[in-house]
Coordinates of all heavy atoms in Angstrom, one line a residue:
M1 N 66.5 -54.6 -61.4 CA 65.5 -53.6 -60.9 C 64.9 -54.2 -59.6 O 64.6 -55.4 -59.5 CB 64.3 -53.5 -61.9 CG 63.2 -52.6 -61.4 SD 61.9 -52.3 -62.6 CE 62.6 -50.9 -63.4
K2 N 64.8 -53.3 -58.7 CA 64.3 -53.8 -57.3 C 62.9 -53.5 -57.3 O 62.4 -52.5 -57.8 CB 65.1 -53.0 -56.3 CG 64.9 -53.5 -54.9 CD 65.9 -52.9 -53.9 CE 65.6 -53.4 -52.5 NZ 66.4 -52.9 -51.5
F3 N 62.1 -54.3 -56.6 CA 60.6 -54.2 -56.5 C 60.3 -53.2 -55.4 O 59.5 -52.3 -55.8 CB 60.0 -55.5 -56.2 CG 58.6 -55.5 -56.3 CD1 57.9 -55.4 -57.6 CD2 57.7 -55.6 -55.2 CE1 56.6 -55.4 -57.7 CE2 56.3 -55.7 -55.3 CZ 55.8 -55.5 -56.6
V4 N 60.8 -53.3 -54.3 CA 60.5 -52.3 -53.2 C 61.8 -51.6 -52.7 O 62.8 -52.3 -52.4 CB 59.8 -53.1 -52.0 CG1 59.5 -52.1 -50.8 CG2 58.5 -53.7 -52.4
K5 N 61.8 -50.3 -52.6 CA 62.9 -49.5 -52.1 C 62.7 -49.0 -50.8 O 61.6 -48.5 -50.4 CB 63.1 -48.4 -53.1 CG 64.3 -47.4 -52.7 CD 64.4 -46.3 -53.7 CE 63.7 -45.1 -53.3 NZ 64.3 -44.3 -52.3
D6 N 63.6 -49.1 -49.9 CA 63.5 -48.6 -48.6 C 63.6 -47.0 -48.6 O 64.1 -46.5 -49.6 CB 64.7 -49.1 -47.6 CG 64.4 -50.5 -47.3 OD1 63.3 -50.9 -47.1 OD2 65.4 -51.3 -47.2
E7 N 63.1 -46.3 -47.6 CA 63.1 -44.9 -47.6 C 64.5 -44.3 -47.7 O 64.7 -43.3 -48.4 CB 62.4 -44.4 -46.4 CG 60.9 -44.6 -46.3 CD 60.3 -43.9 -45.1 OE1 60.3 -42.7 -45.0 OE2 59.8 -44.7 -44.3
D8 N 65.5 -44.9 -47.1 CA 66.8 -44.3 -47.0 C 67.7 -44.7 -48.1 O 68.9 -44.3 -48.2 CB 67.5 -44.5 -45.7 CG 67.5 -46.0 -45.3 OD1 66.9 -46.8 -46.1 OD2 68.2 -46.4 -44.4
E9 N 67.3 -45.5 -49.1 CA 68.2 -46.0 -50.2 C 68.2 -44.9 -51.2 O 67.3 -44.2 -51.5 CB 67.6 -47.3 -50.8 CG 67.9 -48.5 -50.0 CD 67.5 -49.7 -50.8 OE1 66.2 -49.9 -50.9 OE2 68.3 -50.4 -51.3
K10 N 69.3 -44.8 -51.9 CA 69.5 -43.9 -53.0 C 69.6 -44.7 -54.3 O 70.5 -45.0 -54.9 CB 70.9 -43.1 -52.9 CG 71.0 -42.4 -51.5 CD 70.2 -41.2 -51.5 CE 70.5 -40.4 -50.3 NZ 69.4 -39.6 -49.7
R11 N 68.3 -45.0 -54.8 CA 68.2 -45.7 -56.0 C 67.2 -45.1 -56.9 O 66.3 -44.4 -56.4 CB 67.8 -47.2 -55.7 CG 68.7 -48.0 -54.9 CD 68.1 -49.4 -54.7 NE 68.0 -50.1 -56.0 CZ 68.6 -51.2 -56.2 NH1 69.3 -51.8 -55.3 NH2 68.4 -51.8 -57.4
D12 N 67.2 -45.4 -58.2 CA 66.2 -44.9 -59.1 C 65.5 -46.0 -59.8 O 64.5 -45.8 -60.5 CB 66.9 -44.0 -60.2 CG 67.3 -42.7 -59.6 OD1 66.7 -42.2 -58.6 OD2 68.3 -42.1 -60.1
D13 N 66.0 -47.3 -59.7 CA 65.3 -48.4 -60.4 C 64.5 -49.2 -59.4 O 64.9 -50.3 -58.9 CB 66.4 -49.2 -61.1 CG 67.4 -49.8 -60.1 OD1 67.5 -49.2 -59.0 OD2 68.0 -50.8 -60.4
Y14 N 63.3 -48.8 -59.1 CA 62.4 -49.4 -58.2 C 60.9 -49.3 -58.6 O 60.7 -48.3 -59.4 CB 62.6 -49.0 -56.7 CG 62.2 -47.5 -56.5 CD1 61.0 -47.2 -56.1 CD2 63.2 -46.6 -56.7 CE1 60.7 -45.8 -55.9 CE2 62.9 -45.2 -56.5 CZ 61.6 -44.8 -56.1 OH 61.3 -43.6 -56.0
I15 N 60.1 -50.1 -58.2 CA 58.6 -50.0 -58.5 C 57.8 -49.3 -57.4 O 57.1 -48.4 -57.6 CB 58.1 -51.4 -58.9 CG1 58.8 -51.9 -60.1 CG2 56.5 -51.3 -59.1 CD1 58.4 -53.3 -60.4
F16 N 58.0 -49.8 -56.2 CA 57.4 -49.2 -54.9 C 58.4 -48.7 -54.0 O 59.5 -49.3 -53.9 CB 56.5 -50.3 -54.3 CG 55.3 -50.7 -55.1 CD1 55.3 -52.0 -55.6 CD2 54.3 -49.9 -55.3 CE1 54.2 -52.4 -56.4 CE2 53.2 -50.2 -56.1 CZ 53.2 -51.6 -56.6
Q17 N 58.0 -47.7 -53.2 CA 58.9 -47.3 -52.2 C 58.2 -47.6 -50.8 O 57.0 -47.4 -50.7 CB 59.1 -45.7 -52.3 CG 60.0 -45.2 -51.2 CD 60.3 -43.7 -51.5 OE1 59.9 -43.2 -52.5 NE2 61.1 -43.1 -50.6
K18 N 59.0 -48.0 -49.9 CA 58.5 -48.4 -48.6 C 58.3 -47.2 -47.8 O 59.3 -46.8 -47.0 CB 59.4 -49.4 -47.9 CG 58.8 -50.0 -46.7 CD 59.7 -51.0 -46.0 CE 59.8 -52.3 -46.9 NZ 60.6 -53.3 -46.2
D19 N 57.2 -46.5 -47.9 CA 57.0 -45.3 -47.0 C 55.5 -45.3 -46.6 O 54.7 -46.1 -47.0 CB 57.4 -44.0 -47.8 CG 56.6 -43.8 -49.1 OD1 55.9 -44.7 -49.5 OD2 56.9 -42.8 -49.7
K20 N 55.1 -44.2 -45.9 CA 53.7 -44.2 -45.4 C 52.7 -44.1 -46.5 O 51.6 -44.7 -46.4 CB 53.6 -43.0 -44.5 CG 54.3 -43.1 -43.2 CD 54.2 -41.9 -42.3 CE 55.1 -42.0 -41.1 NZ 55.0 -40.8 -40.3
I21 N 52.9 -43.3 -47.6 CA 52.0 -43.1 -48.6 C 51.7 -44.4 -49.4 O 50.6 -44.8 -49.7 CB 52.5 -42.0 -49.6 CG1 52.5 -40.7 -48.9 CG2 51.6 -42.0 -50.9 CD1 53.2 -39.6 -49.8
T22 N 52.8 -45.2 -49.7 CA 52.6 -46.5 -50.4 C 51.8 -47.5 -49.5 O 51.0 -48.2 -49.9 CB 54.0 -47.1 -50.7 OG1 54.7 -46.1 -51.5 CG2 53.8 -48.3 -51.5
K23 N 52.1 -47.5 -48.2 CA 51.4 -48.4 -47.3 C 49.9 -48.0 -47.2 O 49.1 -48.9 -47.2 CB 52.1 -48.4 -45.9 CG 53.4 -49.0 -45.9 CD 54.0 -48.9 -44.5 CE 55.5 -49.5 -44.5 NZ 56.1 -49.3 -43.2
K24 N 49.6 -46.7 -47.0 CA 48.2 -46.3 -46.9 C 47.5 -46.6 -48.3 O 46.3 -47.0 -48.2 CB 48.2 -44.8 -46.6 CG 48.5 -44.5 -45.2 CD 48.3 -43.0 -44.9 CE 48.8 -42.7 -43.5 NZ 48.7 -41.3 -43.2
T25 N 48.1 -46.4 -49.4 CA 47.5 -46.6 -50.7 C 47.2 -48.1 -50.9 O 46.2 -48.5 -51.4 CB 48.4 -46.1 -51.8 OG1 48.6 -44.7 -51.6 CG2 47.7 -46.2 -53.2
A26 N 48.2 -49.0 -50.5 CA 48.0 -50.4 -50.6 C 46.9 -50.9 -49.7 O 46.0 -51.7 -50.2 CB 49.3 -51.1 -50.2
K27 N 46.8 -50.4 -48.5 CA 45.6 -50.7 -47.7 C 44.3 -50.3 -48.3 O 43.3 -51.1 -48.3 CB 45.8 -50.1 -46.3 CG 46.9 -50.8 -45.4 CD 47.0 -50.1 -44.1 CE 48.2 -50.6 -43.4 NZ 48.4 -49.9 -42.1
F28 N 44.2 -49.1 -48.8 CA 43.0 -48.6 -49.5 C 42.6 -49.5 -50.6 O 41.4 -49.8 -50.8 CB 43.2 -47.1 -49.9 CG 42.1 -46.6 -50.7 CD1 40.9 -46.2 -50.0 CD2 42.1 -46.5 -52.1 CE1 39.8 -45.7 -50.7 CE2 41.0 -46.0 -52.8 CZ 39.9 -45.6 -52.1
V29 N 43.6 -49.9 -51.5 CA 43.3 -50.7 -52.6 C 42.8 -52.1 -52.2 O 41.8 -52.6 -52.8 CB 44.5 -50.8 -53.6 CG1 44.3 -51.8 -54.6 CG2 44.8 -49.4 -54.2
I30 N 43.4 -52.6 -51.3 CA 42.9 -54.0 -50.8 C 41.6 -53.9 -50.2 O 40.7 -54.8 -50.5 CB 44.0 -54.5 -49.8 CG1 45.3 -54.8 -50.5 CG2 43.5 -55.7 -49.1 CD1 46.5 -55.2 -49.6
I31 N 41.3 -52.9 -49.4 CA 39.9 -52.8 -48.8 C 38.9 -52.6 -49.9 O 37.8 -53.1 -49.9 CB 39.9 -51.7 -47.8 CG1 40.8 -52.1 -46.6 CG2 38.5 -51.3 -47.4 CD1 41.0 -51.0 -45.5
A32 N 39.2 -51.7 -50.9 CA 38.3 -51.4 -52.0 C 38.0 -52.7 -52.8 O 36.9 -53.0 -53.2 CB 38.9 -50.4 -52.9
L33 N 39.0 -53.6 -53.0 CA 38.8 -54.8 -53.8 C 38.0 -55.8 -53.0 O 37.1 -56.4 -53.5 CB 40.2 -55.4 -54.1 CG 41.0 -54.7 -55.2 CD1 42.3 -55.4 -55.3 CD2 40.2 -54.8 -56.5
I34 N 38.2 -55.8 -51.6 CA 37.4 -56.7 -50.8 C 35.9 -56.2 -50.9 O 35.0 -57.1 -51.0 CB 37.9 -56.7 -49.4 CG1 39.3 -57.5 -49.4 CG2 36.9 -57.4 -48.4 CD1 40.0 -57.4 -48.0
I35 N 35.7 -55.0 -50.8 CA 34.3 -54.4 -50.8 C 33.7 -54.8 -52.1 O 32.5 -55.2 -52.2 CB 34.3 -52.9 -50.5 CG1 34.6 -52.7 -49.1 CG2 32.9 -52.3 -50.9 CD1 34.8 -51.2 -48.7
L36 N 34.4 -54.7 -53.2 CA 33.8 -54.9 -54.5 C 33.5 -56.5 -54.7 O 32.5 -56.8 -55.3 CB 34.8 -54.5 -55.7 CG 35.0 -53.0 -55.9 CD1 36.1 -52.7 -56.9 CD2 33.6 -52.5 -56.4
I37 N 34.4 -57.3 -54.2 CA 34.1 -58.8 -54.2 C 32.9 -59.1 -53.4 O 32.0 -59.9 -53.9 CB 35.4 -59.5 -53.7 CG1 36.5 -59.4 -54.7 CG2 35.0 -61.0 -53.5 CD1 37.8 -59.9 -54.2
I38 N 32.7 -58.5 -52.2 CA 31.5 -58.7 -51.4 C 30.3 -58.2 -52.2 O 29.2 -58.9 -52.2 CB 31.7 -58.1 -50.0 CG1 32.7 -58.8 -49.2 CG2 30.3 -58.0 -49.3 CD1 33.1 -58.1 -47.9
A39 N 30.4 -57.1 -52.9 CA 29.2 -56.5 -53.6 C 28.9 -57.5 -54.7 O 27.6 -57.7 -55.0 CB 29.6 -55.1 -54.1
V40 N 29.8 -58.0 -55.4 CA 29.5 -58.9 -56.5 C 28.8 -60.2 -56.0 O 27.8 -60.7 -56.6 CB 30.8 -59.3 -57.3 CG1 30.5 -60.4 -58.3 CG2 31.3 -58.0 -58.1
I41 N 29.3 -60.7 -54.9 CA 28.7 -61.9 -54.3 C 27.3 -61.6 -53.8 O 26.4 -62.4 -54.0 CB 29.6 -62.4 -53.2 CG1 30.9 -63.1 -53.7 CG2 28.9 -63.5 -52.3 CD1 31.9 -63.4 -52.7
A42 N 27.1 -60.5 -53.2 CA 25.8 -60.1 -52.7 C 24.8 -59.9 -53.8 O 23.6 -60.3 -53.7 CB 25.9 -58.8 -51.8
S43 N 25.3 -59.3 -54.9 CA 24.3 -59.1 -56.0 C 24.0 -60.4 -56.7 O 22.9 -60.6 -57.2 CB 24.9 -58.1 -57.1 OG 26.1 -58.6 -57.6
G44 N 25.0 -61.3 -56.7 CA 24.7 -62.7 -57.3 C 23.7 -63.4 -56.4 O 22.8 -64.1 -57.0
V45 N 23.8 -63.3 -55.1 CA 22.8 -64.0 -54.2 C 21.4 -63.3 -54.4 O 20.5 -64.0 -54.5 CB 23.3 -63.9 -52.8 CG1 22.2 -64.3 -51.8 CG2 24.6 -64.8 -52.6
H46 N 21.4 -62.0 -54.5 CA 20.2 -61.3 -54.6 C 19.4 -61.6 -55.9 O 18.2 -61.8 -55.9 CB 20.4 -59.8 -54.5 CG 19.2 -59.0 -54.7 ND1 18.2 -58.9 -53.7 CD2 18.7 -58.2 -55.8 CE1 17.2 -58.1 -54.2 NE2 17.5 -57.7 -55.4
F47 N 20.2 -61.7 -57.0 CA 19.5 -62.1 -58.3 C 19.4 -63.6 -58.6 O 19.0 -63.9 -59.6 CB 20.3 -61.4 -59.4 CG 20.1 -59.9 -59.4 CD1 21.2 -59.0 -59.1 CD2 18.9 -59.3 -59.5 CE1 21.1 -57.7 -59.1 CE2 18.7 -57.9 -59.6 CZ 19.8 -57.1 -59.3
G48 N 19.8 -64.4 -57.6 CA 19.7 -65.8 -57.7 C 20.7 -66.6 -58.6 O 20.4 -67.7 -59.0
Y49 N 21.8 -66.0 -58.8 CA 22.9 -66.8 -59.5 C 23.7 -67.7 -58.7 O 24.3 -68.6 -59.2 CB 23.8 -65.8 -60.2 CG 23.2 -64.9 -61.2 CD1 23.1 -63.5 -61.1 CD2 22.7 -65.5 -62.4 CE1 22.5 -62.7 -62.0 CE2 22.0 -64.7 -63.3 CZ 22.0 -63.3 -63.2 OH 21.4 -62.6 -64.1
F50 N 23.6 -67.6 -57.3 CA 24.3 -68.5 -56.5 C 23.4 -69.3 -55.7 O 22.3 -68.9 -55.2 CB 25.3 -67.7 -55.5 CG 26.4 -67.0 -56.2 CD1 26.4 -65.6 -56.3 CD2 27.4 -67.7 -56.9 CE1 27.4 -65.0 -56.9 CE2 28.4 -67.0 -57.5 CZ 28.5 -65.6 -57.5

């Protein structure tokens, strides 16, 4: 099984496809996770846990 498939490959056994939608979604997920991590740290500082 291949992890990432190129756009022009003719395969059915892959997890991610290397196209615009996958790249945009990956960027969105990474940014959302970074924002959540910052929010957890900020709330910890605000409530005195750090």
Side-chain angles (χ1 to χ4, degrees):
M1 176 176 273
K2 193 169 180 179
F3 191 69
V4 178
K5 177 182 96 80
D6 289 323
E7 289 184 64
D8 55 348
E9 280 185 288
K10 303 287 187 212
R11 297 179 66 119
D12 289 332
D13 59 340
Y14 62 92
I15 297 175
F16 293 111
Q17 183 173 358
K18 191 181 287 187
D19 60 356
K20 292 179 185 176
I21 294 173
T22 305
K23 290 178 185 178
K24 287 181 182 179
T25 304
K27 287 178 186 177
F28 174 77
V29 169
I30 290 170
I31 291 171
L33 288 174
I34 290 171
I35 290 172
L36 287 172
I37 290 169
I38 291 171
V40 168
I41 291 170
S43 65
V45 168
H46 178 72
F47 291 115
Y49 294 118
F50 295 112

